[in-house]
């Protein structure tokens, strides 16, 4: 049975802290646009308050979430337990893309591990928190984080990451613009 909260309770904060994986969903306004759903890991999620969260957005093959946030701000996070007790947790909110030129970057950046290839920090103000049973989620045992993305970004270096952003991260798959990062700094790429 679903339960709805207006904030992330201390118990739900503990549930989030215990997870190694979360999902981010966003969508454009266009009815024929593509809904995006991305898995995230690498200790990149932080609870800033009972109604505010952030995650460190690493360079990837696409840049859908930030394009959608620029257009409409809608974002949903989902956590699910892969151990007992079962639970699915969704956080519904309005998101913002934080780039290195914004004042909040220096405040938020140190909250995360030093990972190369950082593109943005995504923040969200949460207006609905919902849990459901999670009885259909299988049991899994966590082994470790993959290091391939970190190794890829390290090998690319600052200039390589900047070139990749220009080639692959300028537009969403529906042609929406993304926040532009002109000149990566060591705080952006971790290089």
């Amino acid at each position: 049975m679903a339960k709805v909260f207006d904030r992330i309770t201390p118990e739900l904060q503990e549930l989030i802290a215990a997870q190694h994986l979360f999902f981010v969903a966003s969508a454009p306004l266009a009815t024929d646009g593509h809904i995006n759903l991305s898995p995230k890991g690498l200790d990149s999620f932080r609870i800033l308050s009972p109604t505010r969260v952030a995650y460190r957005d690493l360079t990837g093959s696409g840049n859908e979430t930030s394009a959608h946030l620029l257009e409409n701000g809608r974002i949903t996070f989902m956590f699910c337990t892969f151990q007992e007790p079962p639970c699915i947790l969704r956080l519904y909110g309005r998101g913002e893309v934080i780039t290195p030129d914004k004042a909040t970057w220096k405040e938020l950046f140190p909250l995360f591990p030093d990972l190369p290839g950082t593109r943005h920090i995504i923040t969200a103000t949460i207006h609905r928190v919902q849990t459901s049973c999670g009885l259909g989620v299988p049991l899994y045992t966590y082994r470790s984080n993959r290091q391939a993305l970190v190794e890829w970004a390290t090998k690319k270096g600052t200039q390589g990451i900047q070139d990749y952003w220009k080639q692959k991260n300028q537009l969403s798959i529906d042609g929406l613009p993304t926040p532009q990062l002109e000149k990566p700094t060591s705080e952006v790429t971790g290089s």
Side-chain angles (χ1 to χ4, degrees):
M1 173 181 271
K3 293 182 182 176
V4 177
F5 307 86
D6 62 356
R7 65 187 23 126
I8 307 166
T9 66
E11 295 79 20
L12 295 176
Q13 290 182 31
E14 288 178 21
L15 182 145
I16 289 169
Q19 306 314 305
H20 300 282
L21 171 70
F22 66 98
F23 299 87
V24 178
S26 61
L29 292 176
T31 58
D32 61 346
H34 293 84
I35 296 169
N36 185 59
L37 177 62
S38 296
K40 306 289 181 186
L42 296 172
D43 189 29
S44 59
F45 190 86
R46 296 292 179 267
I47 299 170
L48 305 176
S49 79
T51 58
R52 193 144 172 79
V53 299
Y55 79 89
R56 190 168 180 170
D57 184 46
L58 300 174
T59 298
S61 56
N63 201 358
E64 302 303 302
T65 302
S66 36
H68 296 158
L69 292 180
L70 280 180
E71 184 193 45
N72 62 62
R74 297 177 304 167
I75 192 165
T76 300
F77 300 94
M78 187 187 81
F79 297 83
C80 52
T81 61
F82 294 103
Q83 66 283 336
E84 298 294 354
C87 184
I88 296 171
L89 168 63
R90 291 180 182 89
L91 308 176
Y92 300 91
R94 304 287 301 171
E96 179 183 3
V97 180
I98 307 298
T99 53
D101 59 324
K102 293 191 177 176
T104 52
W105 178 270
K106 288 186 189 228
E107 171 191 332
L108 295 171
F109 187 84
L111 300 177
F112 301 94
D114 186 17
L115 296 172
T118 298
R119 184 170 50 191
H120 310 108
I121 296 172
I122 306 292
T123 63
T125 301
I126 304 303
H127 60 263
R128 180 184 177 99
V129 176
Q130 181 177 319
T131 61
S132 56
C133 68
L135 296 175
V137 176
L139 294 169
Y140 280 102
T141 302
Y142 172 76
R143 285 192 355 213
S144 67
N145 284 318
R146 296 176 197 256
Q147 293 303 308
L149 183 62
V150 172
E151 292 166 359
W152 172 85
T154 300
K155 186 176 179 182
K156 281 251 181 234
T158 301
Q159 186 61 50
I161 292 292
Q162 183 180 8
D163 293 344
Y164 189 86
W165 288 341
K166 288 178 182 175
Q167 294 168 8
K168 306 274 188 182
N169 288 175
Q170 298 288 309
L171 298 172
S172 75
I173 58 177
D174 295 315
L176 296 173
T178 64
Q180 299 307 301
L181 295 171
E182 304 274 331
K183 297 178 182 176
T185 66
S186 61
E187 286 190 340
V188 175
T189 64
S191 301

